[in-house]
Amino acid sequence: MSNLSSQILILDHFTTRLLSSCCKMSDLMSEDITIVEDLHKNREPVPEMKAIYFMRPTAECIDAFINDFKPKAKYKAAYVFFTDYCPDDLFDKMKKNCAKHIKVCKEINISFLPLEAQVFSCDNAEAFKSIYSPNSKDRDQTLEMIADQIVTLCATLDEYPGVRFKKDPNLNYGKKLAELVDNKLARHYELDDNPNKKGKTQAQLLIVDRALDPVSPILHELTYQAMAYDLIQIKDNTYEYDTDGCKKEALLNEEDELWVKLRHMHIFMLVQTPQAAFCNISIGGLSQLMKKMPGFRKQMKTVHLSLAEDLMNHYQKNVEKLCKAEQDLAVGADAEGQKVKDPMRTLLPVLLHPHDTTDKIRAVLLYIFSLNGTTAENLNKLIQHVKIEDERGYILNWEHLGVPILSTPSMFSFRKQSRRDRSDEETYKVSRWTPVIKDLMEDVVENKLEVKDWPYQSECPSVWNGSRAVSARQKHKGSSPDDLRSGSRLIVFVLGGVTYSEMRCAYEVTHANKSCEVIIGKSPHDFKSIAPLMVRGTC
């Protein structure tokens, strides 16, 4: 773009979000972009300027583009960049109406949102409902769109991965998505001009269904980022806080180096950072320490001090009383390792305490998950106790994901994922649960993932034959970007949303071994780190 003179950049809703996630206005200005406009809004003609269009190849966007040049051109010329492959009928329509105005037309293969360094999302707010609702009329169309977006991710990463999925006798959405992705990847690289990209690269794409781990979205997770998005009202990554009686806002993103450094830290470690630990102070005492130590002010910053204090207040007021019961139900054992023989005895104190309804629903769900489903009679009693008779879908909707809620003779086929032994790992008593997805990531890296449960949709790259895979628990001297790129990639895509605890696992497994970088993605569902996926009745 830099070879053009001063110009207008015109974006649709998705590309606006895409650019906002990875660059600032100053970056655009350095490329001679002086004006940024919305494709779908009325705009004044500027016939002396060139316009760069960055948009999705949809009928709505193509029609809006054509309207800019018929009957009279709003701009001197058009430079068109599509996020991904433009269907022939739409391309022909655009060419027929505006060919003389188009100077450049390219597909740049980036129709996903890069949320973090190792996290991406496919952008479709209705995807969750479209896929899992039993009355969905556009499930196939939604899976097709997600497949296209995953292909653009692979193209951006310069990868042609082997594709695997979870075998499921009840729901086949993962299998269907795997087939779509694999076929579209083959087509993409057949059309690619680069002859070196015809074969598979040293990467795997693992497609996971949300039903594999219903527990992680329900638990109160106690790491910094996860707690923040669960317990605090954070919209568009913006945290509002008070300082000196004034309302201020802070953006929690990759540009905040301290946020990136702290976000995966357990809250108990955070409040005892090296600067604070030497005097064994609590989070409430950090304010006094800041006044005495100017260097500490630089390290923590007011925003993170405020956020940490907010989180600890929430924890001490409500969450602390819930965590032990939640962890016992999730893990199936207490902090001393004794098996929970009667989950109802664990659940009952939560139901009798004046917790809010959402927290009680979360506990009820964990109880049901621990039993692999309960009887209709017992479920009715629980629903009455929590007083959600008119909102039973908060619990029953999980069945649409393939998670057993009502136990029936036909449920014998459902078996829980076998878990890794982590008894030798140090954990806090209120944070004993490890997301199932971390087991999967480590199994792939160590070449231990069972083929009978996770069949290949396409051939497995040679890198995964065990020759270069190393233990995910093996420590190494570092994992710089160059180190990571010299190894292989594991791309994990979770159909049905990802928790912040699962996002954290991608970073942990990457940093624990040198041979593989783990990237995790999701079909969009606006559920918070530990906030209940279905508690708000999304199906």
Side-chain angles (χ1 to χ4, degrees), residues 358-535:
T358 298
D359 286 332
K360 290 186 177 183
I361 293 172
R362 290 165 81 155
V364 166
L365 283 168
L366 290 170
Y367 164 79
I368 294 171
F369 297 160
S370 73
L371 297 173
N372 270 355
T374 188
T375 64
E377 181 184 4
N378 194 32
L379 180 61
N380 285 334
K381 288 179 180 177
L382 291 169
I383 286 173
Q384 288 169 14
H385 193 96
V386 183
K387 299 178 181 178
I388 55 168
E389 291 90 341
D390 296 333
E391 297 168 310
R392 302 166 69 89
Y394 288 168
I395 293 174
L396 292 174
N397 279 345
W398 281 90
E399 291 193 317
H400 300 320
L401 276 78
V403 179
I405 297 299
L406 290 171
S407 54
T408 65
S410 63
M411 292 309 298
F412 73 91
S413 61
F414 183 89
R415 63 183 176 90
K416 288 187 177 181
Q417 181 83 10
S418 59
R419 300 306 312 272
R420 282 189 168 231
D421 179 10
R422 299 185 184 274
S423 56
D424 61 338
E425 297 181 10
E426 290 187 18
T427 59
Y428 292 97
K429 290 183 178 181
V430 289
S431 300
R432 287 171 279 134
W433 172 260
T434 299
V436 174
I437 208 162
K438 188 171 185 180
D439 291 358
L440 292 181
M441 293 170 179
E442 291 177 342
D443 283 348
V444 172
V445 170
E446 296 176 17
N447 200 32
K448 292 180 179 178
L449 197 61
E450 292 285 351
V451 176
K452 63 182 176 64
D453 294 325
W454 294 87
Y456 295 101
Q457 178 61 38
S458 59
E459 66 187 76
C460 180
S462 58
V463 71
W464 297 103
N465 64 9
S467 61
R468 294 182 62 183
V470 298
S471 170
R473 300 181 188 186
Q474 181 177 324
K475 299 295 182 183
H476 63 95
K477 295 182 179 179
S479 54
S480 69
D482 289 340
D483 290 334
L484 296 172
R485 296 300 182 271
S486 66
S488 52
R489 276 196 180 99
L490 169 61
I491 303 167
V492 180
F493 184 80
V494 184
L495 197 58
V498 171
T499 66
Y500 285 95
S501 59
E502 290 166 327
M503 288 161 54
R504 186 186 74 248
C505 292
Y507 293 92
E508 289 174 346
V509 174
T510 297
H511 292 305
N513 76 90
K514 196 173 183 178
S515 70
C516 181
E517 177 189 34
V518 183
I519 293 171
I520 190 167
K522 61 171 184 166
S523 59
H525 180 27
D526 187 20
F527 81 130
K528 299 179 180 181
S529 58
I530 41 190
L533 176 64
M534 298 288 286
V535 159

Side-chain angles (χ1 to χ4, degrees), residues 253-266:
N253 62 15
E254 300 291 292
E255 293 187 17
D256 182 343
E257 293 181 9
L258 194 53
W259 168 251
V260 172
K261 180 180 179 181
L262 299 177
R263 64 188 173 194
H264 298 148
M265 190 179 291
H266 196 282

Side-chain angles (χ1 to χ4, degrees), residues 84-101:
D84 55 315
Y85 175 76
C86 182
D88 291 342
D89 59 330
L90 294 179
F91 182 81
D92 291 341
K93 182 178 181 180
M94 185 176 69
K95 187 170 68 171
K96 178 182 176 181
N97 288 279
C98 305
K100 68 177 182 179
H101 301 288

Side-chain angles (χ1 to χ4, degrees), residues 5 18 62 67 79 91 100 141 160 164 204 226 266 280 322 341 361 393 430-431 434 452 503 527:
S5 57
L18 172 57
I62 297 297
N67 289 338
Y79 296 77
F91 182 81
K100 68 177 182 179
Q141 181 183 347
Y160 188 1
R164 300 178 74 173
Q204 270 199 65
H266 196 282
N280 197 30
L322 292 162
K341 295 179 180 178
I361 293 172
V430 289
S431 300
T434 299
K452 63 182 176 64
M503 288 161 54
F527 81 130

